[in-house]
Amino acid sequence: MKIKNILMSGVMAMSCLVASAQDAPKTEYVFNPHWYVQGQVGAQYTLGEVCFGDLISPNIQLGVGRQFSSVFGARFSVNAWQSKGGINVYGWETGYKIGSENYSFKYFAPMLDGTINLSNALCGYNPKRTVNVGILAGIGANIAFSNDDANSLAPNIKEQNLGAENLQYLWDGTKVRFVGRVGANIDFRLSDALALGIEANANVLSDKYNSKKAGNCDWYFNALVGLRYNFGNTYTTRTITPAAPVEKVVERIVEKIVEVPAKAEEKVEQPYIRREIFFTISQNRINEEGYTKIQEVVDFMKKYPKSIVNVTGYADRGTGSAKFNDRIAARRADVVEKELINRGISRDRIIKSSKGSRVQPFEENDKNRVTICVAFD
């Protein structure tokens, strides 16, 4: 008997240690939707047949965006400055290339982009992460103007018969064309409010953008670097104490005690009762079966005047946000506590808690919409 008592004491001590380890507080980051502004500078390459370096031009971009969640956002930006074009010049008699001619024109392009933070999507939300990788896609309008270089170049090429490849889509004035965009970005965190970003995007327009007839879409590519400033608090923190359900520890200890009767002829009465009051999804109303179970707990506690009861509310993890689940689980514990008091149980004999959806006492998801009452003497 002494050995068994020692073993039982050890089990109880280990249970306490496990509970203490699980009760260690943890810090969780909670995302806050927020606005941001962004300024970038860089270079553009307009796709063409002449030397790569001859088609590089300066580029700027200003934007304002809204981060709706840790993963998804939207941005309105204006990309602008200059695009370039070029044609190869051939000798009329020989047909050999004798040089090339380059020209530039200006534009600005208001764009609406959808953004995805891949780092948060794949690795979980962490506002302290140093590097975040994202992708974007959008649509907008390209408003081009000042195509004087190409217009002045065309007559000379035609007059000298130097163009097997010519400017068949030459345009003047101001032209507005639909443009689509895809891109990727890497942001380096400098502080909670500030980040240094690198962006590369590809933009596609109609064949008539650079004045040349190519039989396919025209493209320009931007490489940009700049700063992003976030407004307000982008996140908050909360401390979570994920504790093992109290009722489970009590249940194991009681079962050990019941297994050891003092005398074979004596009847050992169980000084413990557990009842589970189940609820429907998103509700905290007690049904008839629940009232019956609460009355059984009340009868037990009146029989054992020194007994206390743990009332713990839960929510299923498969429904709702963590914030909503914390609220509905607390309400489920509240209504059961109120019913116990209404039936004559003193408030100081009730220990009430709520686990939200952080603890799931049942493997079956729907059963975790529950308040568990464990009363013991």
Side-chain angles (χ1 to χ4, degrees):
M1 182 67 71
K2 289 183 178 181
I3 294 175
K4 202 151 193 177
N5 289 336
I6 293 172
L7 291 174
M8 285 178 58
S9 299
V11 170
M12 294 177 67
M14 287 299 293
S15 300
C16 293
L17 288 174
V18 171
S20 297
Q22 293 177 338
D23 285 345
K26 297 179 181 179
T27 300
E28 181 181 73
Y29 295 112
V30 180
F31 173 83
N32 291 335
H34 57 274
W35 292 93
Y36 65 86
V37 293
Q38 192 174 39
Q40 299 164 292
V41 296
Q44 178 184 113
Y45 168 69
T46 310
L47 188 64
E49 293 79 20
V50 299
C51 178
F52 177 86
D54 292 337
L55 298 178
I56 300 294
S57 54
N59 192 250
I60 61 172
Q61 184 165 278
L62 301 175
V64 57
R66 174 75 171 173
Q67 197 66 36
F68 300 107
S69 72
S70 62
V71 175
F72 298 105
R75 179 185 71 177
F76 175 77
S77 65
V78 177
N79 180 264
W81 202 332
Q82 190 180 80
S83 289
K84 287 190 175 182
I87 61 172
N88 293 315
V89 179
Y90 296 89
W92 177 257
E93 295 181 355
T94 64
Y96 289 110
K97 177 180 175 181
I98 61 175
S100 61
E101 295 287 349
N102 304 321
Y103 51 92
S104 63
F105 51 97
K106 295 180 174 59
Y107 79 96
F108 66 95
M111 302 289 295
L112 182 62
D113 300 316
T115 62
I116 297 177
N117 187 314
L118 292 178
S119 298
N120 286 337
L122 300 177
C123 304
Y125 176 59
N126 180 5
K128 301 297 184 180
R129 184 180 291 117
T130 303
V131 179
N132 282 281
V133 178
I135 57 175
L136 59 93
I139 57 174
N142 181 290
I143 304 168
F145 55 97
S146 296
N147 198 28
D148 299 337
D149 287 353
N151 281 285
S152 62
L153 184 65
N156 293 332
I157 293 178
K158 184 177 180 180
E159 180 180 346
Q160 299 177 43
N161 292 321
L162 298 177
E165 180 182 24
N166 54 37
L167 303 173
Q168 295 186 36
Y169 284 155
L170 191 66
W171 56 269
D172 196 6
T174 300
K175 297 295 181 181
V176 180
R177 299 178 178 88
F178 172 84
V179 58
R181 169 193 283 174
V182 293
N185 64 280
I186 302 176
D187 289 336
F188 300 89
R189 178 183 178 275
L190 303 178
S191 68
D192 286 346
L194 199 61
L196 173 67
I198 299 173
E199 179 179 329
N201 58 61
N203 302 263
V204 59
L205 311 92
S206 74
D207 189 23
K208 297 183 179 181
Y209 181 60
N210 64 358
S211 299
K212 293 174 55 179
K213 182 177 180 180
N216 50 48
C217 295
D218 288 337
W219 292 80
Y220 60 81
F221 305 89
N222 297 322
L224 302 159
V225 61
L227 294 174
R228 165 174 164 161
Y229 180 80
N230 300 315
F231 291 100
N233 295 322
T234 60
Y235 67 93
T236 54
T237 59
R238 65 179 180 184
T239 301
I240 298 177
T241 305
V246 175
E247 64 275 6
K248 290 191 175 182
V249 177
V250 173
E251 189 173 358
R252 288 195 294 269
I253 296 170
V254 170
E255 288 173 354
K256 286 291 182 181
I257 296 173
V258 172
E259 290 174 0
V260 189
K263 293 182 181 179
E265 65 274 14
E266 291 181 1
K267 181 179 179 181
V268 178
E269 195 168 355
Q270 184 181 17
Y272 142 88
I273 187 174
R274 169 179 168 143
R275 292 294 182 266
E276 296 143 354
I277 296 91
F278 295 101
F279 298 87
T280 57
I281 185 171
S282 302
Q283 299 296 322
N284 62 323
R285 290 193 295 269
I286 302 171
N287 58 27
E288 289 301 321
E289 182 183 2
Y291 284 122
T292 300
K293 292 179 178 180
I294 291 173
Q295 186 58 49
E296 291 172 356
V297 175
V298 171
D299 293 341
F300 174 89
M301 297 186 72
K302 288 182 177 179
K303 183 176 181 179
Y304 296 95
K306 295 182 180 181
S307 62
I308 60 173
V309 60
N310 283 307
V311 177
T312 310
Y314 298 90
D316 68 288
R317 191 170 291 164
T319 306
S321 64
K323 184 176 181 181
F324 174 81
N325 289 338
D326 285 339
R327 187 164 58 247
I328 192 63
R331 290 176 179 173
R332 288 167 178 166
D334 288 342
V335 296
V336 173
E337 178 194 40
K338 182 178 178 181
E339 190 62 29
L340 288 169
I341 294 172
N342 290 342
R343 298 185 182 219
I345 302 302
S346 174
R347 189 185 298 273
D348 58 13
R349 297 176 64 189
I350 302 172
I351 301 173
K352 183 182 67 172
S353 62
S354 171
K355 304 297 183 183
S357 57
R358 298 184 298 277
V359 177
Q360 300 286 273
F362 297 100
E363 292 184 4
E364 185 178 340
N365 181 69
D366 292 356
K367 285 189 175 183
N368 292 308
R369 304 164 190 152
V370 66
T371 294
I372 299 178
C373 296
V374 179
F376 52 93
D377 189 21

